[in-house]
Amino acid sequence: MSGQPVQAVRGMNDVLAEDMPYWRFLEDTARELFSAYGYQEVRVPMVEHTELFKRSIGELTDIVEKEMYTFDDRGGESLTLRPEITAVLVRAAISNGLLHNQKHRIWTWGPAFRYERPQKGRYRQFHQIDCEAIGYEGPDVDAEMILLSARLWRALGIGRVALQINSLGTPESRRDYRALLVGYLESRRAELDEDSLRRLGGNPLRILDSKNPALRAVIDEAPQITEHLDPASRDHFDRLRAHLDACRVPYVVNPRLVRGLDYYTRTVFEWTTDALGAQDAVCSGGRYDGLIAQLGGQPTPAIGWALGMERVTELLRETGVAVPGVTPRVYVVLSGERAEHAGLALAEGWRDELAGVRVAVHLGGGSFKSQLKRADKSGAELAVIIGDDEAARGTAAIKPLRSERQQEECAWPAVPARVRAMLS
Ligand code: ATP
Ligand code: MG
């Protein structure tokens, strides 16, 4: 019995064949770059103890307050689908004993889950590329992290991105700044919105991150965190800027750049684009020197960034970047019983010899004409045609589909060499 068609879960997307080349291009380019910089790939679980995210991201953040997919497993343990990956990589470093006077530069990619309001560029299952440098105090590694991301945009052919940086200082200097900020915000209480009033008590820095245009003036006139850094954080920030200047990476210091997670210290940064509308952050990161100790690990400085893969693939599409295709280059047409019988084995042999050339075989028969139509639609450059006559002679006709060139007939064993010559 059939019923209503089954539905996808809201905010969770299928990546279909036509989108896949963009994803592949991003994944392959990132993988190559990480390996060029000496970052090692790791894989970590999608599900963790709920406590991990409460203790790392912070109880008073949007993510923990209202966006996590949390459930009890059959043993009654509270588990959560990871809303981000940094905390998971840190947990992995701690639970695998990787922190004792060691340094690690690692990366991974995969899905993350947040119960947000789905809209363009904002989904409930989304994907991140995530890298972390654990055990490095910086600011050299802070600069390297940013350089790596800058090179990734170049390698992808993405131009419409801009870098903002800021420093959040240490927990101590931030406490002082926070008191100052709360005093200021109290003085302008009448202008705050409901969200900000709620944050004022628990997490006032997040008010600076508000996307409500009505708060623009209050936020613009607020005391700036960069003016209230402790001397060591100031020096760290100045040296990061000197590295970026020396490497000619353009950036803007945005004193209002605070990140949505509590664990950041000192350096934070974000790449934004003007090509995607409201969801403009494509890659964000920062230093989290206190997090590892906070999660019970050996105190270890670290920094990392995460890139939103949906937004970056959309950016590739939106800005018309040409990505490597996956269309077949050769389409084998098999017309008649003898051809169909010989075709699969022949194509297997040709694939062996044509290693690297994509060869699609027509399956399921059909008229010669309809098969040739399919060949054309597939995007292939050449059709290799075997009909009854060719099968009887042990030959194939090689027909260029994208030019006026004549088709050629050749014996089966000679097909790979002819195909290669006609492709190039
Ligand atoms: P935003 O300000 O857009 O909500 P965020 O500060 O919550 O982003 P991070 O937690 O730093 O984002 O995650 C890193 C990157 O992951 C973001 O820069 C963005 O590109 C992407 N990202 C975050 N949330 C989503 C989502 N719900 N859907 C798609 N991409 C997302
Ligand atoms: Mg967010």
Side-chain angles (χ1 to χ4, degrees):
M1 272 230 290
S2 62
Q4 289 290 320
V6 293
Q7 304 265 325
V9 177
R10 198 163 121 80
M12 307 206 175
N13 301 314
D14 303 307
V15 178
L16 298 179
E18 64 194 28
D19 303 317
M20 213 43 224
Y22 295 95
W23 285 78
R24 263 261 84 89
F25 181 49
L26 171 56
E27 291 162 29
D28 292 348
T29 307
R31 177 168 282 114
E32 216 169 279
L33 264 191
F34 281 125
S35 118
Y37 277 76
Y39 285 62
Q40 290 176 303
E41 185 172 4
V42 298
R43 303 260 162 112
V44 287
M46 230 83 78
V47 184
E48 296 280 341
H49 294 297
T50 301
E51 191 203 347
L52 171 65
F53 302 114
K54 289 194 172 167
R55 280 174 64 182
S56 56
I57 297 171
E59 300 258 11
L60 298 178
T61 57
D62 285 353
I63 293 177
V64 173
E65 277 178 346
K66 53 188 192 205
E67 294 174 358
M68 294 206 301
Y69 281 89
T70 297
F71 60 96
D72 286 347
D73 73 3
R74 288 173 190 276
E77 273 202 275
S78 179
L79 303 181
T80 294
L81 300 186
R82 63 186 191 195
E84 59 112 26
I85 308 182
T86 299
V88 181
L89 289 174
V90 165
R91 196 275 306 142
I94 295 171
S95 43
N96 291 287
L98 303 182
L99 295 176
H100 300 275
N101 295 317
Q102 298 176 49
K103 294 185 196 302
H104 298 279
R105 280 181 277 187
I106 54 177
W107 75 279
T108 192
W109 75 276
F113 303 84
R114 296 182 194 174
Y115 195 80
E116 300 201 71
R117 192 169 69 77
Q119 52 198 292
K120 185 174 178 243
R122 192 174 294 288
Y123 309 104
R124 290 182 174 172
Q125 174 174 328
F126 60 100
H127 297 75
Q128 293 186 329
I129 293 174
D130 191 283
C131 65
E132 313 291 338
I134 297 176
Y136 296 85
E137 263 178 274
D140 51 356
V141 76
D142 304 24
E144 180 182 84
M145 282 264 156
I146 291 172
L147 289 169
L148 210 169
S149 53
R151 186 180 293 270
L152 181 60
W153 309 132
R154 289 201 299 278
L156 291 172
I158 290 176
R160 286 170 68 178
V161 286
L163 173 66
Q164 300 180 11
I165 63 172
N166 193 19
S167 175
L168 299 179
T170 61
E172 294 74 35
S173 71
R174 193 147 72 190
R175 248 194 310 275
D176 296 344
Y177 170 72
R178 188 187 137 129
L180 199 71
L181 181 67
V182 170
Y184 163 81
L185 291 168
E186 289 285 2
S187 78
R188 302 193 56 170
R189 202 181 175 92
E191 294 162 75
L192 298 182
D193 61 5
E194 198 184 317
D195 233 19
S196 310
L197 288 169
R198 192 170 50 83
R199 284 175 174 153
L200 193 54
N203 200 348
L205 260 69
R206 291 282 283 130
I207 298 173
L208 301 177
D209 198 26
S210 167
K211 285 166 183 143
N212 183 354
L215 289 178
R216 206 61 266 165
V218 184
I219 292 170
D220 281 347
E221 289 155 33
Q224 301 195 340
I225 195 163
T226 23
E227 301 300 316
H228 298 275
L229 295 176
D230 57 290
S233 295
R234 169 93 263 156
D235 179 61
H236 188 108
F237 194 48
D238 290 343
R239 287 194 291 147
L240 166 63
R241 295 181 57 176
H243 281 306
L244 294 179
D245 293 339
C247 298
R248 298 177 197 285
V249 179
Y251 60 85
V252 170
V253 175
N254 175 1
R256 283 166 293 279
L257 179 67
V258 294
R259 312 272 316 105
L261 306 91
D262 271 356
Y263 53 59
Y264 288 113
T265 51
R266 293 194 170 163
T267 308
V268 289
F269 59 92
E270 187 158 280
W271 289 94
T272 55
T273 177
D274 64 357
L276 292 182
Q279 272 36 265
D280 62 352
V282 289
C283 174
S284 354
R287 175 163 284 285
Y288 49 91
D289 290 340
L291 177 62
I292 294 172
Q294 190 178 315
L295 291 175
Q298 188 105 333
T300 309
I303 181 169
W305 57 246
L307 166 159
M309 297 179 76
E310 279 78 4
R311 294 185 192 175
V312 173
T313 50
E314 184 57 29
L315 195 50
L316 289 169
R317 211 175 293 121
E318 199 72 33
T319 58
V321 173
V323 299
V326 289
T327 49
R329 301 193 69 193
V330 177
Y331 194 101
V332 181
V333 169
L334 304 170
S335 177
E337 218 171 286
R338 281 175 79 167
E340 277 180 44
H341 182 75
L344 279 185
L346 281 171
E348 282 302 300
W350 296 339
R351 286 194 184 101
D352 287 339
E353 287 188 53
L354 284 168
V357 177
R358 292 183 291 273
V359 178
V361 175
H362 186 87
L363 299 176
S367 74
F368 175 75
K369 208 174 139 205
S370 71
Q371 291 196 36
L372 214 55
K373 237 188 200 159
R374 280 293 184 90
D376 189 49
K377 242 182 126 176
S378 77
E381 291 153 63
L382 298 175
V384 174
I385 302 162
I386 308 176
D388 283 330
D389 295 347
E390 286 88 0
R393 289 197 292 270
T395 65
I398 308 176
K399 178 179 168 61
L401 296 170
R402 315 282 153 207
S403 73
E404 299 301 311
R405 266 172 65 186
Q406 283 296 307
Q407 72 176 48
E408 298 180 12
E409 185 168 346
C410 70
W412 288 339
V415 166
R418 269 328 285 157
V419 162
R420 216 178 258 295
M422 288 170 78
L423 277 176
S424 53

